[in-house]
PDB file of all heavy atoms in Angstrom:
ATOM      1  N   LYS A  30       8.881  18.817  -3.220  1.00 93.00           N
ATOM      2  CA  LYS A  30       9.152  18.155  -1.933  1.00 93.00           C
ATOM      3  C   LYS A  30       8.241  16.947  -1.709  1.00 93.00           C
ATOM      4  O   LYS A  30       8.099  16.471  -0.586  1.00 93.00           O
ATOM      5  CB  LYS A  30       8.991  19.167  -0.792  1.00 93.00           C
ATOM      6  CG  LYS A  30      10.050  20.257  -0.786  1.00 93.00           C
ATOM      7  CD  LYS A  30       9.845  21.245   0.343  1.00 93.00           C
ATOM      8  CE  LYS A  30       8.700  22.192   0.043  1.00 93.00           C
ATOM      9  NZ  LYS A  30       8.556  23.250   1.064  1.00 93.00           N
ATOM     10  N   SER A  31       7.643  16.440  -2.766  1.00 95.00           N
ATOM     11  CA  SER A  31       6.737  15.293  -2.653  1.00 95.00           C
ATOM     12  C   SER A  31       7.490  14.024  -2.263  1.00 95.00           C
ATOM     13  O   SER A  31       8.680  13.885  -2.543  1.00 95.00           O
ATOM     14  CB  SER A  31       6.017  15.067  -3.984  1.00 95.00           C
ATOM     15  OG  SER A  31       5.236  16.192  -4.333  1.00 95.00           O
ATOM     16  N   ILE A  34       4.653   7.433   1.086  1.00 96.00           N
ATOM     17  CA  ILE A  34       4.527   6.696   2.341  1.00 96.00           C
ATOM     18  C   ILE A  34       4.217   5.249   1.956  1.00 96.00           C
ATOM     19  O   ILE A  34       3.201   4.977   1.319  1.00 96.00           O
ATOM     20  CB  ILE A  34       3.371   7.234   3.213  1.00 96.00           C
ATOM     21  CG1 ILE A  34       3.525   8.731   3.451  1.00 96.00           C
ATOM     22  CG2 ILE A  34       3.306   6.486   4.533  1.00 96.00           C
ATOM     23  CD1 ILE A  34       2.268   9.359   4.052  1.00 96.00           C
ATOM     24  N   TYR A  47      13.902   0.736  -2.269  1.00 97.00           N
ATOM     25  CA  TYR A  47      13.177   1.988  -2.472  1.00 97.00           C
ATOM     26  C   TYR A  47      14.047   3.234  -2.355  1.00 97.00           C
ATOM     27  O   TYR A  47      13.730   4.268  -2.929  1.00 97.00           O
ATOM     28  CB  TYR A  47      12.043   2.099  -1.436  1.00 97.00           C
ATOM     29  CG  TYR A  47      11.055   0.958  -1.485  1.00 97.00           C
ATOM     30  CD1 TYR A  47      11.244  -0.189  -0.711  1.00 97.00           C
ATOM     31  CD2 TYR A  47       9.930   1.026  -2.302  1.00 97.00           C
ATOM     32  CE1 TYR A  47      10.331  -1.233  -0.748  1.00 97.00           C
ATOM     33  CE2 TYR A  47       9.018  -0.009  -2.348  1.00 97.00           C
ATOM     34  CZ  TYR A  47       9.230  -1.144  -1.572  1.00 97.00           C
ATOM     35  OH  TYR A  47       8.324  -2.169  -1.615  1.00 97.00           O
ATOM     36  N   GLY A  85      12.961   8.508  25.360  1.00 91.00           N
ATOM     37  CA  GLY A  85      12.193   9.510  26.084  1.00 91.00           C
ATOM     38  C   GLY A  85      12.371  10.911  25.541  1.00 91.00           C
ATOM     39  O   GLY A  85      13.232  11.172  24.689  1.00 91.00           O
ATOM     40  N   LYS A 109      24.903  14.798   0.262  1.00 96.00           N
ATOM     41  CA  LYS A 109      24.314  13.710  -0.531  1.00 96.00           C
ATOM     42  C   LYS A 109      24.165  12.424   0.268  1.00 96.00           C
ATOM     43  O   LYS A 109      23.692  11.413  -0.258  1.00 96.00           O
ATOM     44  CB  LYS A 109      25.144  13.466  -1.792  1.00 96.00           C
ATOM     45  CG  LYS A 109      25.068  14.618  -2.785  1.00 96.00           C
ATOM     46  CD  LYS A 109      25.816  14.311  -4.068  1.00 96.00           C
ATOM     47  CE  LYS A 109      25.698  15.472  -5.051  1.00 96.00           C
ATOM     48  NZ  LYS A 109      26.425  15.206  -6.331  1.00 96.00           N
ATOM     49  N   LEU A 160      12.900  22.941  24.520  1.00 93.00           N
ATOM     50  CA  LEU A 160      13.711  23.884  25.273  1.00 93.00           C
ATOM     51  C   LEU A 160      13.234  23.814  26.716  1.00 93.00           C
ATOM     52  O   LEU A 160      12.175  24.345  27.049  1.00 93.00           O
ATOM     53  CB  LEU A 160      13.564  25.298  24.709  1.00 93.00           C
ATOM     54  CG  LEU A 160      14.448  26.391  25.325  1.00 93.00           C
ATOM     55  CD1 LEU A 160      15.922  26.051  25.141  1.00 93.00           C
ATOM     56  CD2 LEU A 160      14.144  27.742  24.683  1.00 93.00           C
ATOM     57  N   ILE A 178       6.423   2.425   6.671  1.00 96.00           N
ATOM     58  CA  ILE A 178       5.645   1.950   7.814  1.00 96.00           C
ATOM     59  C   ILE A 178       5.519   0.431   7.747  1.00 96.00           C
ATOM     60  O   ILE A 178       4.909  -0.112   6.826  1.00 96.00           O
ATOM     61  CB  ILE A 178       4.249   2.611   7.825  1.00 96.00           C
ATOM     62  CG1 ILE A 178       4.397   4.115   8.067  1.00 96.00           C
ATOM     63  CG2 ILE A 178       3.354   1.978   8.880  1.00 96.00           C
ATOM     64  CD1 ILE A 178       3.102   4.896   7.957  1.00 96.00           C
ATOM     65  N   ASN A 193      -1.486   4.898  23.425  1.00 94.00           N
ATOM     66  CA  ASN A 193      -1.111   6.302  23.466  1.00 94.00           C
ATOM     67  C   ASN A 193      -1.056   6.885  22.052  1.00 94.00           C
ATOM     68  O   ASN A 193      -1.581   7.966  21.788  1.00 94.00           O
ATOM     69  CB  ASN A 193       0.250   6.434  24.153  1.00 94.00           C
ATOM     70  CG  ASN A 193       0.917   7.780  23.910  1.00 94.00           C
ATOM     71  OD1 ASN A 193       0.481   8.796  24.402  1.00 94.00           O
ATOM     72  ND2 ASN A 193       1.995   7.766  23.129  1.00 94.00           N
ATOM     73  N   LEU A 230      -3.717   8.521   8.134  1.00 94.00           N
ATOM     74  CA  LEU A 230      -2.731   9.086   7.214  1.00 94.00           C
ATOM     75  C   LEU A 230      -3.411   9.868   6.085  1.00 94.00           C
ATOM     76  O   LEU A 230      -2.898  10.904   5.648  1.00 94.00           O
ATOM     77  CB  LEU A 230      -1.858   7.982   6.625  1.00 94.00           C
ATOM     78  CG  LEU A 230      -0.836   7.358   7.586  1.00 94.00           C
ATOM     79  CD1 LEU A 230      -0.162   6.153   6.941  1.00 94.00           C
ATOM     80  CD2 LEU A 230       0.212   8.379   8.014  1.00 94.00           C
ATOM     81  N   ARG A 242       2.699  24.601   5.689  1.00 89.00           N
ATOM     82  CA  ARG A 242       3.405  25.351   6.721  1.00 89.00           C
ATOM     83  C   ARG A 242       2.487  25.910   7.809  1.00 89.00           C
ATOM     84  O   ARG A 242       2.836  26.840   8.521  1.00 89.00           O
ATOM     85  CB  ARG A 242       4.234  26.471   6.083  1.00 89.00           C
ATOM     86  CG  ARG A 242       5.281  25.922   5.108  1.00 89.00           C
ATOM     87  CD  ARG A 242       6.184  27.030   4.593  1.00 89.00           C
ATOM     88  NE  ARG A 242       7.040  27.564   5.638  1.00 89.00           N
ATOM     89  CZ  ARG A 242       8.189  27.016   6.016  1.00 89.00           C
ATOM     90  NH1 ARG A 242       8.625  25.910   5.433  1.00 89.00           N
ATOM     91  NH2 ARG A 242       8.914  27.581   6.971  1.00 89.00           N
ATOM     92  N   LEU A 246      -5.466  25.915   7.617  1.00 95.00           N
ATOM     93  CA  LEU A 246      -6.155  24.643   7.830  1.00 95.00           C
ATOM     94  C   LEU A 246      -5.375  23.682   8.718  1.00 95.00           C
ATOM     95  O   LEU A 246      -5.949  23.009   9.585  1.00 95.00           O
ATOM     96  CB  LEU A 246      -6.446  23.970   6.478  1.00 95.00           C
ATOM     97  CG  LEU A 246      -7.094  22.576   6.544  1.00 95.00           C
ATOM     98  CD1 LEU A 246      -8.503  22.663   7.133  1.00 95.00           C
ATOM     99  CD2 LEU A 246      -7.139  21.939   5.151  1.00 95.00           C
ATOM    100  N   PHE A 252      -5.610  20.036  17.490  1.00 97.00           N
ATOM    101  CA  PHE A 252      -6.734  19.757  18.387  1.00 97.00           C
ATOM    102  C   PHE A 252      -6.249  18.981  19.622  1.00 97.00           C
ATOM    103  O   PHE A 252      -5.642  17.924  19.496  1.00 97.00           O
ATOM    104  CB  PHE A 252      -7.800  18.945  17.640  1.00 97.00           C
ATOM    105  CG  PHE A 252      -9.022  18.623  18.455  1.00 97.00           C
ATOM    106  CD1 PHE A 252      -9.762  19.625  19.049  1.00 97.00           C
ATOM    107  CD2 PHE A 252      -9.437  17.307  18.606  1.00 97.00           C
ATOM    108  CE1 PHE A 252     -10.897  19.332  19.787  1.00 97.00           C
ATOM    109  CE2 PHE A 252     -10.568  16.997  19.342  1.00 97.00           C
ATOM    110  CZ  PHE A 252     -11.298  18.012  19.942  1.00 97.00           C
ATOM    111  N   MET A 279      -8.206  17.322  24.505  1.00 98.00           N
ATOM    112  CA  MET A 279      -9.304  17.288  23.541  1.00 98.00           C
ATOM    113  C   MET A 279     -10.667  17.448  24.207  1.00 98.00           C
ATOM    114  O   MET A 279     -11.542  18.149  23.691  1.00 98.00           O
ATOM    115  CB  MET A 279      -9.298  15.955  22.758  1.00 98.00           C
ATOM    116  CG  MET A 279      -8.160  15.774  21.794  1.00 98.00           C
ATOM    117  SD  MET A 279      -8.410  14.401  20.625  1.00 98.00           S
ATOM    118  CE  MET A 279      -8.752  13.004  21.723  1.00 98.00           C
TER     119      MET A 279
END
Side-chain angles (χ1 to χ4, degrees):
K30 292 179 285 185
S31 299
I34 305 168
Y47 302 90
K109 292 184 179 180
L160 185 60
I178 294 174
N193 164 70
L230 287 172
R242 300 186 68 83
L246 176 66
F252 181 56
M279 290 194 306

